Amino acid sequence: MPQVTMMLTPGFQFLALGVQAAFELANVLQGERYYTLSITSAEGGAVLSSSGFAVPTTRLDEAGPIDTLLLLAGLVPPPQQDEEMLAMVRARAKEARRVAGLCTGAFLLGQMGLLDGRRATTHWSYAQEMRKAFPQVKVEDDRIFINEGPVWTSAGLTAGLDLAVALVEKDLGREVAGAVARRLVMHHRRAGGQSQHSELLALAPSSDRIQKALLHAKAHLTDPLTVEDLAGVAALSPRQFSRAFHAETGQTPAKAVEQIRLEAARLMLEDSRLSLDQIARNSGFVDLRRMREAFMRHYGQPPQTIRRLSRAA
């Protein structure tokens, strides 16, 4: 029976423990105990979570043979661990068939050097910090999870469930993984290539005028959406609008409109069966060629690849 071992660090986020449910449900659906589950830490004993609850653990180096090692950390990246602890975890990770860093747990993989030369993701708000800390890692902050050989990483906390279901699919097939997702009442299974966050949320304008212009853009994607159009919605001159927009969002209006169109197109790719030409028109791109160029600039992948990744799930 493959053993799935979770390793906790002090201050871990309690919600992350929920990924165990994917493996428990797989056992239920199989009608047998396919996976065994264990919760460990570097030193064993009770480990305090970020919310103040303590969870009993066994020592990682005393756990039996590990098939899948899941590393959990907190709402903020874990500090640099001492080398003795990292050496122990590194040894157990290399013995395992696969290892995953959930959310900020990816920083532990980085500290062990297991991400060097690999693609990895983490919560988008810590992606830049991860790039600085681990320059040998290709950090992709717009992915739900990434699988690089035996090493997996995921984005924010709920993305850990998507990763866990993907692990179940690797072991037991798509049908079982889909049944697990339904039991978990996951709205839909997200492929690893999906976007982590909303462009409107990322832009985060502070004034009602700029917010109103952005909401207008989202509701009228097939309109030209020139600076003059958006400035009129905001009741500002084009010059005033451009200045205010950049000051509040850090983007030009044209760049922000492209990002909103890209997000709309991506959602249509993932959730509809519209043709690529229809999606290009519905999201306000002049034609499929322009949409493809924008996808390559922003995501590094053409639209058809993102659709294929989504449908694979």
Side-chain angles (χ1 to χ4, degrees):
M1 289 182 289
Q3 178 170 244
V4 178
T5 298
M6 307 182 77
M7 195 201 85
L8 312 183
T9 55
F12 75 95
Q13 217 294 319
F14 205 80
L15 180 61
L17 285 173
V19 301
Q20 285 192 112
F23 304 102
E24 291 174 4
L25 285 170
N27 285 345
V28 171
L29 292 165
Q30 287 294 97
E32 63 179 355
R33 194 180 182 189
Y34 180 81
Y35 295 107
T36 59
L37 304 172
S38 64
I39 301 179
T40 68
S41 63
E43 299 180 356
V47 178
L48 199 64
S49 70
S50 60
S51 54
F53 296 99
V55 173
T57 68
T58 58
R59 283 179 59 94
L60 179 64
D61 58 3
E62 294 177 356
I66 297 173
D67 175 80
T68 303
L69 178 61
L70 307 178
L71 305 181
L72 277 62
L75 292 173
V76 296
Q80 180 66 39
Q81 305 295 306
D82 66 78
E83 185 50 41
E84 183 179 355
M85 179 271 205
L86 291 177
M88 178 185 66
V89 182
R90 189 185 298 115
R92 297 309 317 255
K94 289 183 176 179
E95 292 170 5
R97 177 165 62 102
R98 56 196 178 190
V99 59
L102 306 185
C103 193
T104 56
F107 279 75
L108 296 173
L109 291 174
Q111 291 176 21
M112 289 186 283
L114 297 183
L115 295 180
D116 288 355
R118 288 187 162 107
R119 296 161 54 243
T121 193
T122 189
H123 192 284
W124 61 266
S125 62
Y126 297 118
Q128 192 57 35
E129 183 176 342
M130 192 172 185
R131 288 190 184 95
K132 292 179 180 178
F134 312 112
Q136 302 303 315
V137 180
K138 184 180 179 183
V139 179
E140 298 185 9
D141 56 343
D142 199 37
R143 297 291 181 270
I144 296 298
F145 62 82
I146 290 177
N147 172 210
E148 284 278 276
V151 181
W152 297 65
T153 51
S154 74
L157 294 170
T158 58
L161 272 176
D162 295 286
L163 184 151
V165 172
L167 294 177
V168 170
E169 181 173 328
K170 288 280 188 183
D171 296 336
L172 299 172
R174 185 175 300 179
E175 185 176 343
V176 174
V180 168
R182 288 191 294 274
R183 288 290 190 97
L184 289 168
V185 199
M186 296 170 72
H187 177 60
H188 67 292
R189 289 182 54 217
R190 297 180 293 180
Q194 283 193 312
S195 179
Q196 284 195 37
H197 59 278
S198 163
E199 293 299 343
L200 281 178
L201 182 63
L203 290 168
S206 56
S207 72
D208 291 341
R209 288 184 173 186
I210 304 302
Q211 287 182 2
K212 185 177 179 181
L214 285 170
L215 290 172
H216 174 85
K218 187 174 183 180
H220 299 84
L221 290 175
T222 57
D223 291 353
L225 299 178
T226 63
V227 171
E228 289 74 19
D229 294 334
L230 297 176
V233 172
L236 295 169
S237 71
R239 185 184 180 91
Q240 288 174 316
F241 176 75
S242 294
R243 285 180 175 175
F245 193 96
H246 192 274
E248 292 187 29
T249 68
Q251 301 274 17
T252 65
K255 183 65 175 176
V257 166
E258 180 180 84
Q259 290 175 346
I260 292 171
R261 283 179 167 147
L262 280 165
E263 182 175 61
R266 186 164 185 162
L267 288 173
M268 283 186 268
L269 284 168
E270 293 168 349
D271 297 334
S272 79
R273 295 188 175 276
L274 295 174
S275 70
L276 295 182
D277 285 313
Q278 287 176 303
I279 291 172
R281 290 194 298 271
N282 292 353
S283 54
F285 289 99
V286 174
D287 52 35
L288 179 55
R289 179 181 64 82
R290 300 277 182 93
M291 184 175 79
R292 187 183 188 281
E293 290 172 350
F295 266 72
M296 293 302 296
R297 282 196 303 273
H298 194 75
Y299 298 124
Q301 295 176 319
Q304 56 268 38
T305 298
I306 289 176
R307 168 165 274 180
R308 186 172 65 252
L309 288 170
S310 177
R311 288 181 174 177

